[in-house]
Amino acid sequence: MAAPAAPSPASAAPVIHAAPPLPSYIPPFGLRTIIGCLGMLLAVHVAGFNEHVTEIGLSDIRGAMHLGHDEGTWLTTIYEAFNIASMAFTPWFYMTFSIYRFSIFITAVMALLAIPAPFMPDMTALCVLRAFQGLAGGCLPPVLMTVMLKYLPAEIRVFGIGGYAMSATFGPNLGLPLEAFWFEHVGWHWLYWEIIPMAALAIGMLAYGLPRDPMHLERFAKFNWLGLLVGLPAICSLVIVLYQGDRLDWFRSPVITNLAIWGGAAFVVFLINESFHPSPYFKIHYWLSRNIQASLLSLVGILAICSLMAELPATYLAEVRGYRPIQMVPVSLVVALPQLVMLPLIAAICNSRRVDCRYVLAGGMLCLAAAAWCGTWLTPDWVRDNFYIIQILQVFGQPMTVIPTLMLATLALGPADGPFISGMVNMLKGLANAVAFALFAALTRRREQYHSTMLLDHHGTHGLALQGLGEPIGQQLAGTSPDAGHVARNALEVFHTFIHEQALVLGLADIYFILIWVCLFYAVLNVVLPRRVYPPRPPSATAPAH
């Protein structure tokens, strides 16, 4: 009998599974793709400027358009409600109409709606216009996340995550300088119109650089009508509760009570529908993953902390020191401009397989905790320069927290999961700002009231002991009027102004103290709960099959 033939070297070699080919419409990575990705990043920043600049300049807009304070708060609330709600549903639409067509169309709509904004005849018309602008602006961040994860090579995908993180760190801190520049040097109309030239540039870059992916209109056969009709008003209702709750005294207001009950019930129906629908807007079962739980919860907390950290010095400088936005510009630029260097640097560090991004995240939380600890020393004597050390610590803390959190949320999933996680991440990113606004309003009011009551109580208790010091306020005002009653009223008004300033400063210091413990909690949480993720790498051509 003949001996069996020896195996050939070719048959003995391990089988190599090649990486799945890219879709035919995606060109090789190069300058054109980079321009398209940068255009998408610019479009998202345009949407962010449209949001933050008009919010920061709301008092100037109200004065120019003859709007009251309560009316002005609804302008911000309506915009944010539709902005956040649209983020949850965007991935379905760009998968249907194509990223290329959808992003260009939405950017153009957002810019065109800015043209008539300063000329709206009444409050209702302006709110309707801002609602549509919010819908358009909220559609762009989920597209950016998908573009960065889909079109960038695996070895630089973490840098794409760093680019997306710019919308959470660089953009919001640049809103104040832009508002000061446009209002003080150009005109209040440009608080709306500033996005038009930047949007035109972004559209040109998108049209040139983004791959022409095909449309999939057949997806309408399984369109999730119930999810849209229930989810959109549910999310809008909950956002309105967060933005208007403190002003309307929460559940003592029928408006807040009805929105919370019916909006909450509709949101539960929305979640149940998403769990069973064959074409959901996002997948609820992602929350079963430890990494998703930790990263999404951390994303809400971290972005809320960053938002509060930006709001605290702005409130102090405006309310206590009387600063205009243009005088607060250096405080914001100290955080904003270094992000252009820090974000790529942190992305490069996290892109190394030797570095565990969980510990980078914990280090960033410690930086934010140190910034909050410095803020507890706040006094009425502080000026702009006293906040620089707090802002410098945030220069390191913000990118060190945001980039690892996004890595934990996105890199543990496959490419097919990108659209579903992008909608969830961006909706929670928007909710973080709403949560920060609600917390800041509630904490500031309650702590200020508490300290005001305590200060007045101490003054009344020790009033007799203080009589020997005389009345320094009255003595200084004595020469301003021969009417003793008029002087006494002015002295009482000055006294209450001092009480208000002291109570506000103590209240803001209390918020800084709370933030210390919140930062430490998230530092421990993200070391313990999530599993480690590694930066992506292209498949090796020599790796054996498993």
Side-chain angles (χ1 to χ4, degrees), residues 265-321:
F267 192 71
V268 171
V269 173
F270 171 68
L271 294 180
I272 295 173
N273 176 75
E274 294 301 290
S275 301
F276 298 101
H277 198 278
S279 181
Y281 294 107
F282 50 75
K283 296 181 178 180
I284 305 299
H285 73 267
Y286 286 159
W287 284 91
L288 299 177
S289 166
R290 284 172 53 181
N291 277 39
I292 298 297
Q293 294 170 9
S295 57
L296 294 184
L297 290 175
S298 297
L299 185 68
V300 174
I302 289 167
L303 294 179
I305 290 169
C306 294
S307 181
L308 287 170
M309 287 283 198
E311 189 66 29
L312 285 164
T315 300
Y316 170 84
L317 293 173
E319 297 290 333
V320 178
R321 309 303 298 186

Side-chain angles (χ1 to χ4, degrees), residues 64 79-80 89 105 125 132 147 159 224 236 249 253 313 322 353 371 412 431 433 458 474 522:
Y79 182 93
E80 293 292 344
F89 307 99
F105 173 76
F132 280 105
V147 165
F159 290 91
N224 189 355
C236 287
D249 205 11
S253 165
R353 297 181 71 85
L431 281 175
N433 292 327
H458 281 297
Y522 276 113

Side-chain angles (χ1 to χ4, degrees), residues 53 87 150 220 229 246 263 341-342 354 477 500 525 542 544:
V53 172
M87 294 179 182
K150 184 175 183 179
F220 274 102
L229 295 176
D246 191 71
V341 175
M342 288 301 301
R354 300 178 182 177
L477 297 177
H500 168 69
L525 174 72
T542 60

Side-chain angles (χ1 to χ4, degrees), residues 233-521:
I235 298 172
C236 287
S237 298
L238 296 179
V239 174
I240 291 172
V241 168
L242 291 172
Y243 273 96
Q244 293 290 329
D246 191 71
R247 188 181 69 85
L248 298 177
D249 205 11
W250 296 103
F251 295 103
R252 293 183 178 86
S253 165
V255 174
I256 297 300
T257 302
N258 287 321
L259 286 174
I261 292 174
W262 295 109
F267 192 71
V268 171
V269 173
F270 171 68
L271 294 180
I272 295 173
N273 176 75
E274 294 301 290
S275 301
F276 298 101
H277 198 278
S279 181
Y281 294 107
F282 50 75
K283 296 181 178 180
I284 305 299
H285 73 267
Y286 286 159
W287 284 91
L288 299 177
S289 166
R290 284 172 53 181
N291 277 39
I292 298 297
Q293 294 170 9
S295 57
L296 294 184
L297 290 175
S298 297
L299 185 68
V300 174
I302 289 167
L303 294 179
I305 290 169
C306 294
S307 181
L308 287 170
M309 287 283 198
E311 189 66 29
L312 285 164
T315 300
Y316 170 84
L317 293 173
E319 297 290 333
V320 178
R321 309 303 298 186
Y323 279 29
R324 289 278 302 144
I326 195 170
Q327 296 171 296
M328 293 185 277
V329 164
V331 178
S332 293
L333 289 180
V334 166
V335 179
L337 295 182
Q339 298 302 317
L340 298 175
V341 175
M342 288 301 301
L343 284 166
L345 177 62
I346 300 300
I349 293 173
C350 292
N351 200 35
S352 171
R353 297 181 71 85
R354 300 178 182 177
V355 177
D356 189 340
C357 68
R358 297 175 299 175
Y359 295 107
V360 176
L361 198 162
M365 294 310 306
L366 293 179
C367 287
L368 294 180
W373 179 78
C374 293
T376 59
W377 298 88
L378 182 67
T379 71
D381 297 323
W382 277 31
V383 293
R384 182 178 62 197
D385 296 352
N386 295 102
F387 286 97
Y388 287 157
I389 184 62
I390 298 176
Q391 303 299 87
I392 291 172
L393 287 169
Q394 291 183 69
V395 169
F396 297 93
Q398 289 190 11
M400 289 175 66
T401 53
V402 176
I403 292 178
T405 303
L406 294 172
M407 289 179 63
L408 291 170
T410 58
L411 298 185
L413 301 173
D417 299 311
F420 299 102
I421 196 64
S422 69
M424 192 181 299
V425 165
N426 283 279
M427 187 187 73
L428 292 175
K429 174 174 169 283
L431 281 175
N433 292 327
V435 170
F437 183 92
L439 286 175
F440 182 77
L443 288 173
T444 303
R445 178 173 62 85
R446 293 181 182 276
R447 298 309 298 170
E448 183 183 353
Q449 289 175 348
Y450 169 79
H451 288 297
S452 178
T453 302
M454 291 296 102
L455 289 171
L456 290 172
D457 180 69
H458 281 297
H459 178 267
T461 303
H462 302 287
L464 294 176
L466 297 173
Q467 284 184 351
L469 300 176
E471 295 184 17
I473 298 176
Q475 292 172 4
Q476 291 185 11
L477 297 177
T480 60
S481 173
D483 186 352
H486 181 68
V487 171
R489 287 191 297 272
N490 287 345
L492 185 61
E493 184 176 347
V494 171
F495 172 73
H496 281 286
T497 300
F498 287 151
I499 292 291
H500 168 69
E501 290 181 355
Q502 291 285 350
L504 179 60
V505 168
L506 290 170
L508 297 179
D510 288 347
I511 297 176
Y512 273 122
F513 182 77
I514 294 171
L515 290 179
I516 295 174
W517 296 103
V518 175
C519 292
L520 295 177
F521 167 77

Side-chain angles (χ1 to χ4, degrees), residues 525-543:
L525 174 72
N526 285 282
V527 171
V528 174
L529 183 58
R531 295 183 176 92
R532 182 178 180 181
V533 297
Y534 290 88
R537 291 292 183 267
S540 174
T542 60

Side-chain angles (χ1 to χ4, degrees), residues 46-58 61 65 67 71-72 74-84 110 113-118 120 122-138 191-195:
V46 169
F49 295 152
N50 186 45
E51 173 186 359
H52 296 296
V53 172
T54 51
E55 181 181 349
I56 294 169
L58 184 60
I61 292 173
M65 301 186 73
L67 301 176
E71 294 173 318
W74 280 106
L75 273 180
T76 300
T77 300
I78 294 296
Y79 182 93
E80 293 292 344
F82 283 90
N83 181 274
I84 295 170
M110 181 180 62
L113 288 174
I115 297 175
M120 288 292 100
D122 53 40
M123 180 65 187
T124 303
L126 184 57
C127 281
V128 170
L129 184 143
R130 290 294 284 172
F132 280 105
Q133 257 197 325
L135 276 175
L191 297 178
Y192 291 113
W193 293 345
E194 62 159 356
I195 67 171

